[in-house]
Amino acid sequence: LHRGETRMLITGTVDEKIKPYQLPLCENALITENKKWVSGIFSIPDIRSLPADIAGIYLELEWIDKPAYQVAVKKFTGLSLDSVISAVQSVARNCSFSFEIPETNTAEQAQIFSALKKIEQQFQLKGKMIVAAKNATTLKSFCDSGFNTAYIVPPFDPYNSTVGSMQNYCDNIATQLSASPASALLTNLKKYPLLRKAFPTLKLIT
């Protein structure tokens, strides 16, 4: 973190006003605690350039061939989800995966769940997968079935916000996660100090 970011958000007025939330958690364990995760992987050559000791990789899922609800990895045109996972494991055998899933209705959610359960079993990924979504309610069924989950927090600029708007922002997140617990929050460095103060029991992924 930049020292200026931390100082601005967790000292003085903000530190006094933003109170920590005690929320229920999705407590499914993620095997790796190594922080060496990689994003921005969009092709097989990108995968081949990965170091063998990476802890995990971030991938974004998308729909193809609706209404068949086939799930693929975004940017990997023409490649199945299975083939991308296989390619990663050929380079980094013990790699974990964070999958950002698209917006879903009930039928789509069931299909994504089925696809991820299949690769969990096929590639021995029990305890090595994070399911991330922008809608917290989407994550509940994944948590209930043993997946580690991450809520992708909404956009927000704490540098141009009042303490009141910061509080409202955190209140909204807390409301979402009270009904649908997550294992972690997926955010960026700009919001990290504010969210660390407000949600001390949740892991933060940047």
Side-chain angles (χ1 to χ4, degrees):
L1 295 177
H2 293 98
R3 286 178 296 172
E5 292 180 346
T6 305
R7 185 168 55 248
M8 185 188 81
L9 289 173
I10 64 173
T11 61
T13 303
V14 173
D15 188 59
E16 296 169 2
K17 296 290 185 180
I18 304 297
K19 302 299 181 183
Y21 297 82
Q22 297 299 321
L23 297 175
L25 299 176
C26 175
E27 296 182 337
N28 301 319
L30 188 67
I31 291 175
T32 180
E33 292 296 331
N34 188 333
K35 299 183 183 300
K36 193 174 181 181
W37 284 65
V38 177
S39 60
I41 303 300
F42 303 122
S43 67
I44 295 299
D46 287 346
I47 290 174
R48 289 173 181 155
S49 69
L50 291 171
D53 64 343
I54 62 167
I57 182 174
Y58 298 100
L59 296 173
E60 185 177 351
L61 302 184
E62 65 178 356
W63 295 118
I64 58 172
D65 297 332
K66 279 192 173 185
Y69 300 127
Q70 293 184 26
V71 182
V73 181
K74 197 168 188 178
K75 304 290 187 181
F76 285 83
T77 305
L79 294 177
S80 66
L81 176 57
D82 293 22
S83 64
V84 174
I85 302 301
S86 181
V88 173
Q89 286 195 337
S90 70
V91 175
R93 180 63 191 168
N94 296 316
C95 183
S96 295
F97 295 84
S98 176
F99 297 107
E100 180 180 338
I101 62 176
E103 295 293 325
T104 61
N105 58 37
T106 302
E108 292 168 341
Q109 185 172 324
Q111 186 66 20
I112 286 184
F113 178 84
S114 177
L116 293 183
K117 267 298 181 185
K118 176 185 174 185
I119 66 166
E120 179 187 62
Q121 296 167 1
Q122 181 179 351
F123 295 100
Q124 300 179 333
L125 293 176
K126 181 72 174 178
K128 292 186 174 183
M129 295 169 63
I130 301 172
V131 179
K134 296 176 182 176
N135 185 341
T137 58
T138 301
L139 297 174
K140 188 175 187 308
S141 63
F142 289 95
C143 176
D144 291 344
S145 298
F147 287 101
N148 194 281
T149 62
Y151 175 55
I152 303 170
V153 299
F156 184 72
D157 182 2
Y159 292 116
N160 295 301
S161 302
T162 64
V163 173
S165 62
M166 290 183 198
Q167 187 67 66
N168 289 338
Y169 179 74
C170 293
D171 284 345
N172 290 334
I173 293 174
T175 298
Q176 293 282 328
L177 297 182
S178 293
S180 302
S183 311
L185 300 179
L186 191 59
T187 182
N188 58 28
L189 287 178
K190 182 178 285 189
K191 295 190 286 290
Y192 186 100
L194 173 62
L195 296 177
R196 181 73 291 152
K197 177 69 172 71
F199 304 105
T201 60
L202 278 163
K203 293 181 180 179
L204 299 186
I205 302 172
T206 57

